[in-house]
């Protein structure tokens, strides 16, 4: 395992202002890709109330974040390991789907959860937080950990607007927030570049920041097939174009 820096740079929030941009799929695939590169990785399903990381992985966890929030277990006690047929492994903390009460936790409870994840950084090279779409208090509080934030957007104009809203709020809470952009599910690299340029112009013009582009992930029918099969893309279609795009993103994060 690599030596951890003194900052929280090994904590990575996967966020989006809008649902339907492939955020959870990206979180699952990126965790798998990082693990394949030798990173000890934990994927935390922070979409409190509408969790589905375990479904995409075909996991049936015995415990989930609900046990932590009710005081019956600690975060390390609800970790579920995932392993593919090649032996690549990473850990998962499953969410509790369908429990709306979890989405309305108090700020102190959310801060306690965030700090608990920080405590786990001693045991992992990367901890990925797959958070709910939008800008509600659960998302903004869990994102405020001093690590990296990957804002996922598509080429859809409403995705750009909502991504900007998330970035504006994150910068308002922490002007030095480490925000980067991932453009997902676009027909071509050029389409991804156009979407990135649009969000970059908005951020530079109104927020006086220039978030870098971390990855463009092209549309790929193999992604839908993998989700339907409840298997990670890298296990089912490792040679697909989208898989290669996410592996390139993982390699950048390993630098």
């Amino acid at each position: 395992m690599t030596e951890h820096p003194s900052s929280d740079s090994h904590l990575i929030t996967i966020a989006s202002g809008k649902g339907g941009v492939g955020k959870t799929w990206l979180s699952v695939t990126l965790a798998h890709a990082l693990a394949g590169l030798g990173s000890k990785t934990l994927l935390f399903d922070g979409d409190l109330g509408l969790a589905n990381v375990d479904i995409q992985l075909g996991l049936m966890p015995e415990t989930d974040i609900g046990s932590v929030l009710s005081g019956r277990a600690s975060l390390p006690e609800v970790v579920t390991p995932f392993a593919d047929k090649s032996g690549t492994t990473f850990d998962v903390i499953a969410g509790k789907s369908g429990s709306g009460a979890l989405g309305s936790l108090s700020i102190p409870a959310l801060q306690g959860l965030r700090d608990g994840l920080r405590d786990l950084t001693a045991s992992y090279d990367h901890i990925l937080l797959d958070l709910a779409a939008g800008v509600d208090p659960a998302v903004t509080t869990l994102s405020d950990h001093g690590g990296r934030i990957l804002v996922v957007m598509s080429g859809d104009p409403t995705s750009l607007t909502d991504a900007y809203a998330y970035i504006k709020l994150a910068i308002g809470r922490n002007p030095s927030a480490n925000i980067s952009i991932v453009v997902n599910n676009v027909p071509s690299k050029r389409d991804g570049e156009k979407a990135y340029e649009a969000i970059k112009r908005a951020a530079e013009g109104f927020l006086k920041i220039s978030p870098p582009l971390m990855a463009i992930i092209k549309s790929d029918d193999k992604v839908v097939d993998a989700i339907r099969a409840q298997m990670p893309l890298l296990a089912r279609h490792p040679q697909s174009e989208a898989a290669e795009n996410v592996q390139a993103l993982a390699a950048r994060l390993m630098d």
Side-chain angles (χ1 to χ4, degrees), residues 40-90:
K40 185 171 174 57
T41 301
L42 170 67
L43 174 57
F44 170 75
D45 191 344
D47 191 346
L48 305 179
L50 294 172
N52 62 4
V53 161
D54 54 326
I55 295 172
Q56 289 203 22
L57 287 170
L59 285 175
M60 297 185 66
E62 295 182 3
T63 57
D64 57 39
I65 192 63
S67 297
V68 176
L69 298 176
S70 66
R72 300 193 305 271
S74 65
L75 281 172
E77 290 172 334
V78 299
V79 167
T80 299
F82 170 83
D84 67 15
K85 291 182 179 179
S86 73
T88 299
T89 64
F90 60 92

mmCIF file of all heavy atoms in Angstrom, residues 40-90:
data_model
loop_
_atom_site.group_PDB
_atom_site.id
_atom_site.type_symbol
_atom_site.label_atom_id
_atom_site.label_comp_id
_atom_site.label_asym_id
_atom_site.label_seq_id
_atom_site.Cartn_x
_atom_site.Cartn_y
_atom_site.Cartn_z
ATOM 1 N N LYS A 40 -5.412 -0.102 -2.627
ATOM 2 C CA LYS A 40 -6.377 -0.640 -1.668
ATOM 3 C C LYS A 40 -7.518 0.355 -1.598
ATOM 4 O O LYS A 40 -7.348 1.481 -1.128
ATOM 5 C CB LYS A 40 -5.726 -0.838 -0.298
ATOM 6 C CG LYS A 40 -6.654 -1.508 0.735
ATOM 7 C CD LYS A 40 -5.895 -1.883 1.986
ATOM 8 C CE LYS A 40 -6.848 -2.416 3.064
ATOM 9 N NZ LYS A 40 -7.630 -3.575 2.598
ATOM 10 N N THR A 41 -8.676 -0.055 -2.068
ATOM 11 C CA THR A 41 -9.756 0.879 -2.349
ATOM 12 C C THR A 41 -11.026 0.512 -1.592
ATOM 13 O O THR A 41 -11.382 -0.662 -1.482
ATOM 14 C CB THR A 41 -10.057 0.899 -3.866
ATOM 15 O OG1 THR A 41 -8.869 1.276 -4.575
ATOM 16 C CG2 THR A 41 -11.169 1.875 -4.197
ATOM 17 N N LEU A 42 -11.713 1.544 -1.104
ATOM 18 C CA LEU A 42 -13.027 1.399 -0.476
ATOM 19 C C LEU A 42 -14.021 2.249 -1.248
ATOM 20 O O LEU A 42 -13.759 3.416 -1.534
ATOM 21 C CB LEU A 42 -12.980 1.862 0.983
ATOM 22 C CG LEU A 42 -14.328 1.987 1.712
ATOM 23 C CD1 LEU A 42 -14.970 0.615 1.910
ATOM 24 C CD2 LEU A 42 -14.157 2.698 3.055
ATOM 25 N N LEU A 43 -15.163 1.662 -1.585
ATOM 26 C CA LEU A 43 -16.250 2.392 -2.237
ATOM 27 C C LEU A 43 -17.392 2.541 -1.244
ATOM 28 O O LEU A 43 -17.961 1.547 -0.783
ATOM 29 C CB LEU A 43 -16.715 1.638 -3.485
ATOM 30 C CG LEU A 43 -17.943 2.203 -4.205
ATOM 31 C CD1 LEU A 43 -17.735 3.657 -4.618
ATOM 32 C CD2 LEU A 43 -18.273 1.342 -5.421
ATOM 33 N N PHE A 44 -17.712 3.780 -0.916
ATOM 34 C CA PHE A 44 -18.769 4.090 0.042
ATOM 35 C C PHE A 44 -19.999 4.568 -0.696
ATOM 36 O O PHE A 44 -19.944 5.543 -1.450
ATOM 37 C CB PHE A 44 -18.284 5.175 1.015
ATOM 38 C CG PHE A 44 -19.355 5.742 1.899
ATOM 39 C CD1 PHE A 44 -19.840 5.019 2.978
ATOM 40 C CD2 PHE A 44 -19.897 7.001 1.651
ATOM 41 C CE1 PHE A 44 -20.837 5.539 3.791
ATOM 42 C CE2 PHE A 44 -20.883 7.533 2.461
ATOM 43 C CZ PHE A 44 -21.358 6.790 3.536
ATOM 44 N N ASP A 45 -21.118 3.884 -0.518
ATOM 45 C CA ASP A 45 -22.368 4.286 -1.157
ATOM 46 C C ASP A 45 -23.044 5.331 -0.272
ATOM 47 O O ASP A 45 -23.738 5.001 0.682
ATOM 48 C CB ASP A 45 -23.277 3.074 -1.356
ATOM 49 C CG ASP A 45 -24.464 3.393 -2.264
ATOM 50 O OD1 ASP A 45 -24.739 4.593 -2.469
ATOM 51 O OD2 ASP A 45 -25.099 2.458 -2.777
ATOM 52 N N GLY A 46 -22.838 6.582 -0.618
ATOM 53 C CA GLY A 46 -23.365 7.687 0.172
ATOM 54 C C GLY A 46 -24.639 8.278 -0.388
ATOM 55 O O GLY A 46 -25.031 9.374 0.006
ATOM 56 N N ASP A 47 -25.296 7.562 -1.307
ATOM 57 C CA ASP A 47 -26.585 8.028 -1.800
ATOM 58 C C ASP A 47 -27.629 7.591 -0.785
ATOM 59 O O ASP A 47 -28.345 6.602 -0.963
ATOM 60 C CB ASP A 47 -26.870 7.430 -3.175
ATOM 61 C CG ASP A 47 -28.073 8.072 -3.853
ATOM 62 O OD1 ASP A 47 -28.828 8.773 -3.152
ATOM 63 O OD2 ASP A 47 -28.253 7.874 -5.055
ATOM 64 N N LEU A 48 -27.705 8.318 0.330
ATOM 65 C CA LEU A 48 -28.498 7.887 1.471
ATOM 66 C C LEU A 48 -29.982 7.883 1.132
ATOM 67 O O LEU A 48 -30.602 8.926 0.973
ATOM 68 C CB LEU A 48 -28.219 8.801 2.668
ATOM 69 C CG LEU A 48 -26.740 8.916 3.068
ATOM 70 C CD1 LEU A 48 -26.583 9.857 4.241
ATOM 71 C CD2 LEU A 48 -26.169 7.550 3.396
ATOM 72 N N GLY A 49 -30.545 6.704 1.033
ATOM 73 C CA GLY A 49 -31.953 6.568 0.722
ATOM 74 C C GLY A 49 -32.223 5.946 -0.632
ATOM 75 O O GLY A 49 -33.244 5.298 -0.835
ATOM 76 N N LEU A 50 -31.312 6.104 -1.603
ATOM 77 C CA LEU A 50 -31.491 5.531 -2.938
ATOM 78 C C LEU A 50 -30.218 4.796 -3.363
ATOM 79 O O LEU A 50 -29.736 4.949 -4.479
ATOM 80 C CB LEU A 50 -31.838 6.632 -3.955
ATOM 81 C CG LEU A 50 -33.179 7.321 -3.747
ATOM 82 C CD1 LEU A 50 -33.317 8.515 -4.695
ATOM 83 C CD2 LEU A 50 -34.329 6.342 -3.978
ATOM 84 N N ALA A 51 -29.693 4.005 -2.467
ATOM 85 C CA ALA A 51 -28.421 3.331 -2.709
ATOM 86 C C ALA A 51 -28.572 2.200 -3.716
ATOM 87 O O ALA A 51 -29.578 1.495 -3.718
ATOM 88 C CB ALA A 51 -27.884 2.778 -1.395
ATOM 89 N N ASN A 52 -27.551 2.012 -4.579
ATOM 90 C CA ASN A 52 -27.604 0.878 -5.503
ATOM 91 C C ASN A 52 -26.243 0.367 -5.948
ATOM 92 O O ASN A 52 -26.152 -0.382 -6.921
ATOM 93 C CB ASN A 52 -28.459 1.219 -6.733
ATOM 94 C CG ASN A 52 -27.902 2.383 -7.546
ATOM 95 O OD1 ASN A 52 -26.833 2.910 -7.253
ATOM 96 N ND2 ASN A 52 -28.631 2.769 -8.570
ATOM 97 N N VAL A 53 -25.180 0.749 -5.247
ATOM 98 C CA VAL A 53 -23.864 0.219 -5.575
ATOM 99 C C VAL A 53 -23.863 -1.303 -5.473
ATOM 100 O O VAL A 53 -23.332 -2.008 -6.343
ATOM 101 C CB VAL A 53 -22.780 0.826 -4.661
ATOM 102 C CG1 VAL A 53 -21.522 -0.023 -4.660
ATOM 103 C CG2 VAL A 53 -22.440 2.246 -5.107
ATOM 104 N N ASP A 54 -24.455 -1.838 -4.397
ATOM 105 C CA ASP A 54 -24.462 -3.291 -4.211
ATOM 106 C C ASP A 54 -25.216 -3.989 -5.336
ATOM 107 O O ASP A 54 -24.827 -5.083 -5.772
ATOM 108 C CB ASP A 54 -25.062 -3.656 -2.840
ATOM 109 C CG ASP A 54 -26.452 -3.056 -2.613
ATOM 110 O OD1 ASP A 54 -26.685 -1.936 -3.102
ATOM 111 O OD2 ASP A 54 -27.273 -3.700 -1.941
ATOM 112 N N ILE A 55 -26.263 -3.360 -5.855
ATOM 113 C CA ILE A 55 -27.022 -3.954 -6.952
ATOM 114 C C ILE A 55 -26.176 -4.030 -8.209
ATOM 115 O O ILE A 55 -26.134 -5.055 -8.902
ATOM 116 C CB ILE A 55 -28.307 -3.148 -7.210
ATOM 117 C CG1 ILE A 55 -29.230 -3.234 -5.993
ATOM 118 C CG2 ILE A 55 -29.033 -3.647 -8.463
ATOM 119 C CD1 ILE A 55 -30.426 -2.321 -6.059
ATOM 120 N N GLN A 56 -25.463 -2.952 -8.521
ATOM 121 C CA GLN A 56 -24.628 -2.956 -9.722
ATOM 122 C C GLN A 56 -23.506 -3.983 -9.631
ATOM 123 O O GLN A 56 -23.041 -4.499 -10.654
ATOM 124 C CB GLN A 56 -24.054 -1.562 -9.975
ATOM 125 C CG GLN A 56 -25.091 -0.556 -10.443
ATOM 126 C CD GLN A 56 -24.500 0.611 -11.196
ATOM 127 O OE1 GLN A 56 -23.400 0.535 -11.746
ATOM 128 N NE2 GLN A 56 -25.232 1.709 -11.241
ATOM 129 N N LEU A 57 -23.069 -4.301 -8.422
ATOM 130 C CA LEU A 57 -21.992 -5.271 -8.237
ATOM 131 C C LEU A 57 -22.504 -6.694 -8.023
ATOM 132 O O LEU A 57 -21.705 -7.625 -7.937
ATOM 133 C CB LEU A 57 -21.123 -4.865 -7.036
ATOM 134 C CG LEU A 57 -20.209 -3.669 -7.255
ATOM 135 C CD1 LEU A 57 -19.601 -3.224 -5.935
ATOM 136 C CD2 LEU A 57 -19.106 -4.008 -8.249
ATOM 137 N N GLY A 58 -23.822 -6.843 -7.902
ATOM 138 C CA GLY A 58 -24.358 -8.161 -7.627
ATOM 139 C C GLY A 58 -24.047 -8.657 -6.231
ATOM 140 O O GLY A 58 -23.998 -9.864 -5.981
ATOM 141 N N LEU A 59 -23.855 -7.739 -5.292
ATOM 142 C CA LEU A 59 -23.540 -8.095 -3.909
ATOM 143 C C LEU A 59 -24.813 -8.222 -3.079
ATOM 144 O O LEU A 59 -25.813 -7.555 -3.345
ATOM 145 C CB LEU A 59 -22.644 -7.021 -3.271
ATOM 146 C CG LEU A 59 -21.177 -6.968 -3.674
ATOM 147 C CD1 LEU A 59 -20.514 -5.761 -3.022
ATOM 148 C CD2 LEU A 59 -20.457 -8.242 -3.285
ATOM 149 N N MET A 60 -24.734 -9.047 -2.050
ATOM 150 C CA MET A 60 -25.823 -9.143 -1.068
ATOM 151 C C MET A 60 -25.222 -8.952 0.322
ATOM 152 O O MET A 60 -25.014 -9.911 1.067
ATOM 153 C CB MET A 60 -26.530 -10.492 -1.185
ATOM 154 C CG MET A 60 -27.212 -10.700 -2.528
ATOM 155 S SD MET A 60 -28.174 -12.237 -2.603
ATOM 156 C CE MET A 60 -29.454 -11.869 -1.404
ATOM 157 N N PRO A 61 -24.903 -7.697 0.677
ATOM 158 C CA PRO A 61 -24.233 -7.440 1.957
ATOM 159 C C PRO A 61 -25.102 -7.799 3.145
ATOM 160 O O PRO A 61 -26.323 -7.575 3.133
ATOM 161 C CB PRO A 61 -23.953 -5.931 1.909
ATOM 162 C CG PRO A 61 -24.954 -5.393 0.948
ATOM 163 C CD PRO A 61 -25.194 -6.460 -0.064
ATOM 164 N N GLU A 62 -24.478 -8.355 4.172
ATOM 165 C CA GLU A 62 -25.213 -8.699 5.387
ATOM 166 C C GLU A 62 -25.519 -7.466 6.227
ATOM 167 O O GLU A 62 -26.487 -7.452 6.987
ATOM 168 C CB GLU A 62 -24.403 -9.707 6.213
ATOM 169 C CG GLU A 62 -24.224 -11.054 5.526
ATOM 170 C CD GLU A 62 -23.470 -12.038 6.383
ATOM 171 O OE1 GLU A 62 -23.132 -11.682 7.542
ATOM 172 O OE2 GLU A 62 -23.202 -13.152 5.912
ATOM 173 N N THR A 63 -24.679 -6.438 6.102
ATOM 174 C CA THR A 63 -24.884 -5.199 6.843
ATOM 175 C C THR A 63 -24.696 -4.018 5.901
ATOM 176 O O THR A 63 -24.118 -4.154 4.820
ATOM 177 C CB THR A 63 -23.897 -5.066 8.018
ATOM 178 O OG1 THR A 63 -22.546 -5.148 7.505
ATOM 179 C CG2 THR A 63 -24.114 -6.165 9.040
ATOM 180 N N ASP A 64 -25.165 -2.857 6.313
ATOM 181 C CA ASP A 64 -25.031 -1.670 5.487
ATOM 182 C C ASP A 64 -24.921 -0.440 6.374
ATOM 183 O O ASP A 64 -24.841 -0.545 7.604
ATOM 184 C CB ASP A 64 -26.187 -1.544 4.489
ATOM 185 C CG ASP A 64 -27.550 -1.528 5.171
ATOM 186 O OD1 ASP A 64 -27.683 -0.911 6.250
ATOM 187 O OD2 ASP A 64 -28.496 -2.126 4.627
ATOM 188 N N ILE A 65 -24.927 0.722 5.748
ATOM 189 C CA ILE A 65 -24.719 1.967 6.478
ATOM 190 C C ILE A 65 -25.831 2.214 7.495
ATOM 191 O O ILE A 65 -25.632 2.923 8.493
ATOM 192 C CB ILE A 65 -24.612 3.149 5.489
ATOM 193 C CG1 ILE A 65 -24.094 4.415 6.187
ATOM 194 C CG2 ILE A 65 -25.940 3.401 4.799
ATOM 195 C CD1 ILE A 65 -22.702 4.266 6.740
ATOM 196 N N GLY A 66 -26.993 1.606 7.287
ATOM 197 C CA GLY A 66 -28.072 1.761 8.245
ATOM 198 C C GLY A 66 -27.688 1.277 9.633
ATOM 199 O O GLY A 66 -28.095 1.878 10.642
ATOM 200 N N SER A 67 -26.881 0.214 9.713
ATOM 201 C CA SER A 67 -26.439 -0.297 11.014
ATOM 202 C C SER A 67 -25.512 0.688 11.712
ATOM 203 O O SER A 67 -25.514 0.797 12.939
ATOM 204 C CB SER A 67 -25.722 -1.642 10.831
ATOM 205 O OG SER A 67 -26.609 -2.610 10.312
ATOM 206 N N VAL A 68 -24.739 1.426 10.928
ATOM 207 C CA VAL A 68 -23.842 2.434 11.508
ATOM 208 C C VAL A 68 -24.653 3.610 12.037
ATOM 209 O O VAL A 68 -24.453 4.077 13.162
ATOM 210 C CB VAL A 68 -22.824 2.925 10.453
ATOM 211 C CG1 VAL A 68 -21.954 4.045 11.019
ATOM 212 C CG2 VAL A 68 -21.958 1.769 9.973
ATOM 213 N N LEU A 69 -25.600 4.075 11.247
ATOM 214 C CA LEU A 69 -26.366 5.255 11.625
ATOM 215 C C LEU A 69 -27.301 4.992 12.805
ATOM 216 O O LEU A 69 -27.669 5.913 13.532
ATOM 217 C CB LEU A 69 -27.159 5.756 10.424
ATOM 218 C CG LEU A 69 -26.297 6.186 9.228
ATOM 219 C CD1 LEU A 69 -27.175 6.566 8.054
ATOM 220 C CD2 LEU A 69 -25.371 7.334 9.598
ATOM 221 N N SER A 70 -27.665 3.729 13.010
ATOM 222 C CA SER A 70 -28.505 3.373 14.155
ATOM 223 C C SER A 70 -27.684 3.053 15.396
ATOM 224 O O SER A 70 -28.250 2.801 16.467
ATOM 225 C CB SER A 70 -29.383 2.177 13.799
ATOM 226 O OG SER A 70 -28.587 1.019 13.599
ATOM 227 N N GLY A 71 -26.342 3.063 15.250
ATOM 228 C CA GLY A 71 -25.476 2.809 16.394
ATOM 229 C C GLY A 71 -25.217 1.346 16.671
ATOM 230 O O GLY A 71 -24.594 0.999 17.682
ATOM 231 N N ARG A 72 -25.644 0.452 15.759
ATOM 232 C CA ARG A 72 -25.454 -0.982 15.992
ATOM 233 C C ARG A 72 -24.099 -1.488 15.525
ATOM 234 O O ARG A 72 -23.702 -2.599 15.869
ATOM 235 C CB ARG A 72 -26.554 -1.779 15.284
ATOM 236 C CG ARG A 72 -27.965 -1.454 15.750
ATOM 237 C CD ARG A 72 -28.972 -2.484 15.259
ATOM 238 N NE ARG A 72 -28.919 -2.645 13.814
ATOM 239 C CZ ARG A 72 -29.640 -1.927 12.950
ATOM 240 N NH1 ARG A 72 -30.435 -0.961 13.402
ATOM 241 N NH2 ARG A 72 -29.570 -2.156 11.653
ATOM 242 N N ALA A 73 -23.393 -0.692 14.722
ATOM 243 C CA ALA A 73 -22.111 -1.151 14.176
ATOM 244 C C ALA A 73 -21.248 0.053 13.846
ATOM 245 O O ALA A 73 -21.733 1.181 13.717
ATOM 246 C CB ALA A 73 -22.331 -2.010 12.933
ATOM 247 N N SER A 74 -19.950 -0.189 13.690
ATOM 248 C CA SER A 74 -19.015 0.849 13.259
ATOM 249 C C SER A 74 -18.799 0.718 11.750
ATOM 250 O O SER A 74 -19.161 -0.307 11.139
ATOM 251 C CB SER A 74 -17.677 0.689 13.979
ATOM 252 O OG SER A 74 -17.053 -0.533 13.598
ATOM 253 N N LEU A 75 -18.218 1.735 11.145
ATOM 254 C CA LEU A 75 -17.960 1.678 9.711
ATOM 255 C C LEU A 75 -17.131 0.455 9.304
ATOM 256 O O LEU A 75 -17.494 -0.243 8.350
ATOM 257 C CB LEU A 75 -17.290 2.973 9.240
ATOM 258 C CG LEU A 75 -18.192 4.185 9.026
ATOM 259 C CD1 LEU A 75 -17.367 5.427 8.747
ATOM 260 C CD2 LEU A 75 -19.160 3.946 7.866
ATOM 261 N N PRO A 76 -16.025 0.164 9.991
ATOM 262 C CA PRO A 76 -15.252 -1.026 9.586
ATOM 263 C C PRO A 76 -16.052 -2.323 9.676
ATOM 264 O O PRO A 76 -15.779 -3.271 8.937
ATOM 265 C CB PRO A 76 -14.079 -1.035 10.566
ATOM 266 C CG PRO A 76 -13.943 0.382 11.023
ATOM 267 C CD PRO A 76 -15.344 0.908 11.063
ATOM 268 N N GLU A 77 -17.048 -2.348 10.547
ATOM 269 C CA GLU A 77 -17.823 -3.574 10.735
ATOM 270 C C GLU A 77 -18.850 -3.821 9.630
ATOM 271 O O GLU A 77 -19.400 -4.924 9.537
ATOM 272 C CB GLU A 77 -18.528 -3.544 12.092
ATOM 273 C CG GLU A 77 -17.576 -3.665 13.270
ATOM 274 C CD GLU A 77 -18.256 -3.442 14.610
ATOM 275 O OE1 GLU A 77 -19.296 -2.734 14.662
ATOM 276 O OE2 GLU A 77 -17.742 -3.968 15.611
ATOM 277 N N VAL A 78 -19.114 -2.813 8.796
ATOM 278 C CA VAL A 78 -20.092 -3.012 7.728
ATOM 279 C C VAL A 78 -19.431 -3.070 6.347
ATOM 280 O O VAL A 78 -20.112 -2.986 5.320
ATOM 281 C CB VAL A 78 -21.185 -1.916 7.749
ATOM 282 C CG1 VAL A 78 -21.944 -1.960 9.061
ATOM 283 C CG2 VAL A 78 -20.610 -0.532 7.501
ATOM 284 N N VAL A 79 -18.127 -3.250 6.312
ATOM 285 C CA VAL A 79 -17.413 -3.383 5.042
ATOM 286 C C VAL A 79 -17.700 -4.750 4.432
ATOM 287 O O VAL A 79 -17.626 -5.777 5.105
ATOM 288 C CB VAL A 79 -15.897 -3.194 5.252
ATOM 289 C CG1 VAL A 79 -15.123 -3.641 4.017
ATOM 290 C CG2 VAL A 79 -15.573 -1.735 5.573
ATOM 291 N N THR A 80 -18.051 -4.746 3.145
ATOM 292 C CA THR A 80 -18.275 -5.981 2.395
ATOM 293 C C THR A 80 -17.238 -6.067 1.282
ATOM 294 O O THR A 80 -17.129 -5.145 0.470
ATOM 295 C CB THR A 80 -19.682 -6.004 1.769
ATOM 296 O OG1 THR A 80 -20.662 -5.929 2.797
ATOM 297 C CG2 THR A 80 -19.897 -7.272 0.955
ATOM 298 N N PRO A 81 -16.457 -7.135 1.204
ATOM 299 C CA PRO A 81 -15.472 -7.243 0.130
ATOM 300 C C PRO A 81 -16.107 -7.664 -1.193
ATOM 301 O O PRO A 81 -17.058 -8.443 -1.212
ATOM 302 C CB PRO A 81 -14.514 -8.331 0.643
ATOM 303 C CG PRO A 81 -15.350 -9.163 1.558
ATOM 304 C CD PRO A 81 -16.361 -8.242 2.172
ATOM 305 N N PHE A 82 -15.584 -7.121 -2.276
ATOM 306 C CA PHE A 82 -15.961 -7.561 -3.616
ATOM 307 C C PHE A 82 -14.718 -8.107 -4.294
ATOM 308 O O PHE A 82 -13.631 -7.527 -4.188
ATOM 309 C CB PHE A 82 -16.525 -6.409 -4.458
ATOM 310 C CG PHE A 82 -16.688 -6.779 -5.914
ATOM 311 C CD1 PHE A 82 -17.814 -7.465 -6.327
ATOM 312 C CD2 PHE A 82 -15.690 -6.488 -6.832
ATOM 313 C CE1 PHE A 82 -17.951 -7.846 -7.660
ATOM 314 C CE2 PHE A 82 -15.828 -6.859 -8.165
ATOM 315 C CZ PHE A 82 -16.957 -7.536 -8.575
ATOM 316 N N ALA A 83 -14.870 -9.212 -5.023
ATOM 317 C CA ALA A 83 -13.758 -9.787 -5.779
ATOM 318 C C ALA A 83 -14.267 -10.262 -7.129
ATOM 319 O O ALA A 83 -15.335 -10.883 -7.214
ATOM 320 C CB ALA A 83 -13.130 -10.950 -5.012
ATOM 321 N N ASP A 84 -13.522 -9.962 -8.193
ATOM 322 C CA ASP A 84 -13.897 -10.502 -9.491
ATOM 323 C C ASP A 84 -13.171 -11.826 -9.719
ATOM 324 O O ASP A 84 -12.403 -12.288 -8.869
ATOM 325 C CB ASP A 84 -13.617 -9.489 -10.611
ATOM 326 C CG ASP A 84 -12.129 -9.207 -10.829
ATOM 327 O OD1 ASP A 84 -11.275 -9.974 -10.323
ATOM 328 O OD2 ASP A 84 -11.811 -8.215 -11.509
ATOM 329 N N LYS A 85 -13.413 -12.438 -10.860
ATOM 330 C CA LYS A 85 -12.860 -13.767 -11.114
ATOM 331 C C LYS A 85 -11.344 -13.756 -11.255
ATOM 332 O O LYS A 85 -10.690 -14.786 -11.080
ATOM 333 C CB LYS A 85 -13.498 -14.369 -12.360
ATOM 334 C CG LYS A 85 -14.974 -14.716 -12.169
ATOM 335 C CD LYS A 85 -15.554 -15.354 -13.412
ATOM 336 C CE LYS A 85 -17.023 -15.724 -13.203
ATOM 337 N NZ LYS A 85 -17.619 -16.342 -14.417
ATOM 338 N N SER A 86 -10.789 -12.579 -11.561
ATOM 339 C CA SER A 86 -9.333 -12.488 -11.705
ATOM 340 C C SER A 86 -8.630 -12.314 -10.368
ATOM 341 O O SER A 86 -7.406 -12.362 -10.293
ATOM 342 C CB SER A 86 -8.971 -11.316 -12.617
ATOM 343 O OG SER A 86 -9.184 -10.076 -11.963
ATOM 344 N N GLY A 87 -9.415 -12.078 -9.309
ATOM 345 C CA GLY A 87 -8.825 -11.878 -7.989
ATOM 346 C C GLY A 87 -8.661 -10.428 -7.592
ATOM 347 O O GLY A 87 -8.173 -10.127 -6.500
ATOM 348 N N THR A 88 -9.064 -9.499 -8.458
ATOM 349 C CA THR A 88 -9.036 -8.082 -8.093
ATOM 350 C C THR A 88 -10.112 -7.822 -7.044
ATOM 351 O O THR A 88 -11.267 -8.205 -7.225
ATOM 352 C CB THR A 88 -9.293 -7.196 -9.322
ATOM 353 O OG1 THR A 88 -8.257 -7.422 -10.284
ATOM 354 C CG2 THR A 88 -9.298 -5.724 -8.937
ATOM 355 N N THR A 89 -9.721 -7.167 -5.964
ATOM 356 C CA THR A 89 -10.653 -6.957 -4.859
ATOM 357 C C THR A 89 -10.693 -5.492 -4.436
ATOM 358 O O THR A 89 -9.694 -4.780 -4.540
ATOM 359 C CB THR A 89 -10.272 -7.804 -3.633
ATOM 360 O OG1 THR A 89 -8.991 -7.369 -3.148
ATOM 361 C CG2 THR A 89 -10.209 -9.288 -3.980
ATOM 362 N N PHE A 90 -11.859 -5.072 -3.980
ATOM 363 C CA PHE A 90 -11.982 -3.801 -3.285
ATOM 364 C C PHE A 90 -13.119 -3.930 -2.291
ATOM 365 O O PHE A 90 -13.925 -4.868 -2.348
ATOM 366 C CB PHE A 90 -12.182 -2.622 -4.241
ATOM 367 C CG PHE A 90 -13.408 -2.689 -5.114
ATOM 368 C CD1 PHE A 90 -14.611 -2.120 -4.716
ATOM 369 C CD2 PHE A 90 -13.361 -3.298 -6.360
ATOM 370 C CE1 PHE A 90 -15.728 -2.155 -5.529
ATOM 371 C CE2 PHE A 90 -14.480 -3.342 -7.190
ATOM 372 C CZ PHE A 90 -15.669 -2.776 -6.761
#
